[in-house]
Coordinates of all heavy atoms in Angstrom, one line a residue:
F20 N 20.7 -11.1 -10.4 CA 21.6 -10.1 -9.8 C 23.1 -10.4 -10.0 O 23.8 -10.3 -9.0 CB 21.3 -9.9 -8.3 CG 20.0 -9.1 -8.0 CD1 18.8 -9.7 -8.0 CD2 20.1 -7.7 -7.8 CE1 17.6 -8.9 -7.7 CE2 19.0 -6.9 -7.6 CZ 17.8 -7.5 -7.5
L54 N 19.8 -16.8 1.1 CA 19.2 -15.5 0.8 C 18.0 -15.3 1.7 O 16.9 -15.1 1.2 CB 18.9 -15.5 -0.7 CG 19.6 -14.3 -1.4 CD1 19.1 -12.9 -1.0 CD2 21.1 -14.4 -1.1
W55 N 18.2 -15.3 3.0 CA 17.3 -14.8 4.0 C 16.0 -15.6 4.1 O 15.0 -15.1 4.7 CB 16.9 -13.3 3.7 CG 18.0 -12.4 3.4 CD1 19.4 -12.7 3.4 CD2 17.9 -11.1 2.9 NE1 20.1 -11.6 3.0 CE2 19.2 -10.6 2.7 CE3 16.9 -10.2 2.7 CZ2 19.5 -9.3 2.3 CZ3 17.1 -8.9 2.3 CH2 18.5 -8.4 2.1
D112 N 3.2 -16.7 -4.7 CA 4.4 -17.6 -4.6 C 5.7 -17.0 -4.3 O 6.7 -17.7 -4.1 CB 4.5 -18.3 -6.0 CG 4.1 -17.5 -7.2 OD1 4.3 -16.3 -7.1 OD2 3.6 -18.1 -8.1
D113 N 5.9 -15.7 -4.2 CA 7.2 -15.1 -3.9 C 7.0 -13.8 -3.1 O 5.9 -13.2 -3.1 CB 8.0 -14.9 -5.1 CG 8.9 -16.1 -5.5 OD1 9.8 -16.4 -4.7 OD2 8.7 -16.7 -6.5
G114 N 8.1 -13.3 -2.6 CA 8.0 -12.0 -1.9 C 7.4 -10.9 -2.7 O 6.5 -10.2 -2.3
A115 N 8.0 -10.8 -3.9 CA 7.5 -9.7 -4.8 C 6.0 -9.8 -5.1 O 5.3 -8.8 -5.1 CB 8.3 -9.7 -6.1
T116 N 5.6 -11.0 -5.3 CA 4.1 -11.2 -5.6 C 3.3 -10.9 -4.4 O 2.1 -10.4 -4.5 CB 3.8 -12.6 -6.2 OG1 4.2 -13.6 -5.2 CG2 4.4 -12.8 -7.5
S117 N 3.8 -11.2 -3.2 CA 3.0 -10.8 -2.0 C 2.8 -9.3 -1.9 O 1.7 -8.8 -1.5 CB 3.6 -11.4 -0.7 OG 4.8 -10.7 -0.4
V118 N 3.8 -8.6 -2.3 CA 3.7 -7.1 -2.3 C 2.8 -6.6 -3.5 O 2.0 -5.7 -3.3 CB 5.1 -6.4 -2.4 CG1 5.0 -4.9 -2.5 CG2 5.9 -6.9 -1.2
A166 N 13.9 1.7 -0.4 CA 13.1 0.5 0.0 C 13.3 -0.6 -1.1 O 13.6 -0.3 -2.2 CB 11.6 0.9 0.0
Y167 N 13.1 -1.8 -0.7 CA 13.2 -3.0 -1.6 C 12.0 -3.9 -1.3 O 11.9 -4.4 -0.2 CB 14.5 -3.7 -1.5 CG 14.5 -4.9 -2.5 CD1 14.8 -4.7 -3.9 CD2 14.3 -6.2 -2.1 CE1 14.8 -5.7 -4.8 CE2 14.3 -7.2 -3.0 CZ 14.6 -7.0 -4.4 OH 14.6 -8.0 -5.3
H168 N 11.2 -4.1 -2.3 CA 10.0 -4.9 -2.1 C 9.9 -6.0 -3.2 O 8.8 -6.6 -3.3 CB 8.7 -4.1 -2.1 CG 8.7 -3.0 -1.0 ND1 8.6 -3.4 0.3 CD2 8.9 -1.7 -1.1 CE1 8.7 -2.3 1.0 NE2 8.8 -1.3 0.3
G169 N 11.0 -6.3 -4.0 CA 10.9 -7.3 -5.0 C 11.1 -6.7 -6.4 O 11.2 -5.5 -6.5
D170 N 11.0 -7.6 -7.4 CA 11.4 -7.2 -8.7 C 10.3 -7.2 -9.8 O 10.6 -7.1 -11.0 CB 12.6 -8.1 -9.1 CG 13.8 -7.8 -8.3 OD1 14.0 -6.6 -7.9 OD2 14.6 -8.7 -7.9
T171 N 9.1 -7.4 -9.4 CA 8.0 -7.3 -10.4 C 7.8 -5.8 -10.5 O 8.2 -5.0 -9.7 CB 6.7 -8.0 -9.9 OG1 6.4 -7.4 -8.7 CG2 6.9 -9.5 -9.8
S174 N 6.2 -4.0 -7.6 CA 7.0 -3.9 -6.4 C 8.2 -3.1 -6.6 O 8.7 -2.4 -5.7 CB 7.3 -5.3 -5.8 OG 7.9 -6.1 -6.8
I238 N 6.0 -0.4 3.7 CA 7.2 -0.3 4.6 C 7.8 -1.7 4.9 O 7.0 -2.7 5.1 CB 6.9 0.5 5.9 CG1 8.1 0.7 6.7 CG2 5.8 -0.3 6.8 CD1 7.9 1.7 7.9
E239 N 9.1 -1.8 5.0 CA 9.7 -3.0 5.6 C 9.9 -2.6 7.1 O 10.7 -1.8 7.4 CB 11.1 -3.1 5.0 CG 11.2 -3.5 3.5 CD 12.6 -3.2 2.9 OE1 13.5 -4.0 3.0 OE2 12.7 -2.1 2.3
P240 N 9.1 -3.3 7.9 CA 9.1 -2.9 9.3 C 10.5 -3.2 10.0 O 11.1 -4.2 9.8 CB 8.1 -3.9 10.0 CG 7.3 -4.3 8.8 CD 8.2 -4.4 7.6
V242 N 13.6 -3.1 9.7 CA 14.9 -3.3 9.0 C 14.7 -3.2 7.5 O 13.9 -4.0 7.0 CB 15.5 -4.7 9.3 CG1 16.9 -4.8 8.7 CG2 15.7 -4.9 10.8
Q243 N 15.3 -2.3 6.8 CA 15.3 -2.2 5.4 C 16.4 -3.1 4.8 O 17.6 -2.6 4.8 CB 15.4 -0.8 4.9 CG 14.1 -0.1 5.1 CD 14.1 1.3 4.5 OE1 13.8 2.3 5.2 NE2 14.5 1.5 3.2
G244 N 16.1 -4.3 4.4 CA 17.1 -5.3 4.1 C 18.0 -4.9 2.9 O 19.2 -4.5 3.1
A245 N 17.5 -4.9 1.7 CA 18.4 -4.7 0.5 C 19.0 -3.3 0.5 O 20.0 -3.1 -0.2 CB 17.6 -5.0 -0.7
M248 N 20.6 -3.2 5.2 CA 20.2 -3.4 6.5 C 20.1 -2.1 7.3 O 20.8 -1.9 8.4 CB 21.1 -4.4 7.2 CG 21.2 -5.7 6.6 SD 19.5 -6.5 6.7 CE 19.7 -7.8 5.4
D273 N 5.7 -5.1 4.7 CA 6.4 -6.1 4.0 C 7.3 -6.8 4.9 O 8.4 -6.4 5.1 CB 7.1 -5.4 2.8 CG 8.0 -6.4 2.0 OD1 8.1 -7.6 2.4 OD2 8.6 -6.0 1.0
E274 N 6.9 -8.0 5.4 CA 7.7 -8.8 6.3 C 8.3 -9.9 5.6 O 8.6 -11.0 6.2 CB 6.9 -9.2 7.6 CG 6.5 -8.1 8.5 CD 6.7 -8.4 10.0 OE1 7.5 -9.3 10.3 OE2 6.0 -7.7 10.8
V275 N 8.5 -9.8 4.3 CA 9.1 -10.9 3.5 C 10.4 -11.3 4.1 O 10.7 -12.5 4.3 CB 9.2 -10.5 2.0 CG1 10.1 -11.4 1.2 CG2 7.8 -10.4 1.4
A276 N 11.3 -10.3 4.4 CA 12.6 -10.6 5.0 C 12.6 -10.7 6.5 O 13.3 -11.5 7.0 CB 13.6 -9.5 4.5
V277 N 11.8 -9.9 7.2 CA 12.0 -9.8 8.6 C 11.0 -10.7 9.4 O 11.1 -10.9 10.6 CB 11.8 -8.4 9.2 CG1 13.0 -7.5 8.7 CG2 10.5 -7.8 8.8
C299 N 2.6 -8.7 4.2 CA 3.2 -9.6 3.2 C 4.2 -10.5 3.8 O 5.2 -10.1 4.5 CB 3.9 -8.7 2.2 SG 2.9 -7.4 1.5
A301 N 6.7 -14.2 2.9 CA 7.2 -15.1 2.0 C 8.5 -15.8 2.6 O 8.5 -16.1 3.8 CB 7.5 -14.5 0.6
K302 N 9.5 -15.9 1.8 CA 10.8 -16.4 2.3 C 10.7 -17.5 3.4 O 10.6 -18.6 3.1 CB 11.7 -15.2 2.7 CG 12.2 -14.4 1.5 CD 13.4 -13.5 1.9 CE 13.8 -12.6 0.8 NZ 14.8 -13.2 -0.1
M311 N 6.5 -19.9 -1.8 CA 5.1 -19.6 -1.4 C 5.1 -18.3 -0.6 O 6.0 -18.0 0.1 CB 4.7 -20.7 -0.4 CG 3.4 -20.4 0.3 SD 2.7 -21.8 1.1 CE 1.3 -22.2 0.1
A312 N 4.0 -17.6 -0.9 CA 3.9 -16.3 -0.2 C 2.4 -16.1 0.2 O 1.5 -16.8 -0.3 CB 4.3 -15.1 -1.2
M441 N 23.1 -13.1 8.4 CA 21.7 -13.4 8.6 C 21.5 -14.9 8.6 O 20.9 -15.5 7.6 CB 20.9 -12.7 7.5 CG 19.4 -12.6 7.8 SD 18.7 -11.3 6.8 CE 17.0 -11.6 6.8
Ligands
PLP1 N1 10.4 -7.7 0.1 C1 11.5 -7.7 0.9 C2 11.6 -6.9 2.1 C3 12.6 -8.4 0.5 O1 13.8 -8.4 1.2 C4 12.5 -9.2 -0.7 C5 13.7 -10.0 -1.2 O2 14.8 -10.0 -0.7 C6 11.3 -9.2 -1.4 C7 10.3 -8.5 -1.0 C8 11.2 -10.0 -2.7 O3 11.1 -11.4 -2.4 P1 11.3 -12.5 -3.5 O4 12.7 -12.4 -3.9 O5 10.8 -13.7 -2.9 O6 10.4 -12.0 -4.7

Side-chain angles (χ1 to χ4, degrees):
F20 282 88
L54 242 292
W55 313 353
D112 37 31
D113 268 295
T116 56
S117 73
V118 175
Y167 180 78
H168 299 291
D170 295 323
T171 58
S174 52
I238 188 169
E239 294 162 80
V242 182
Q243 282 185 233
M248 299 299 164
D273 172 358
E274 292 224 20
V275 168
V277 295
C299 306
K302 287 195 185 273
M311 170 168 253
M441 195 160 162

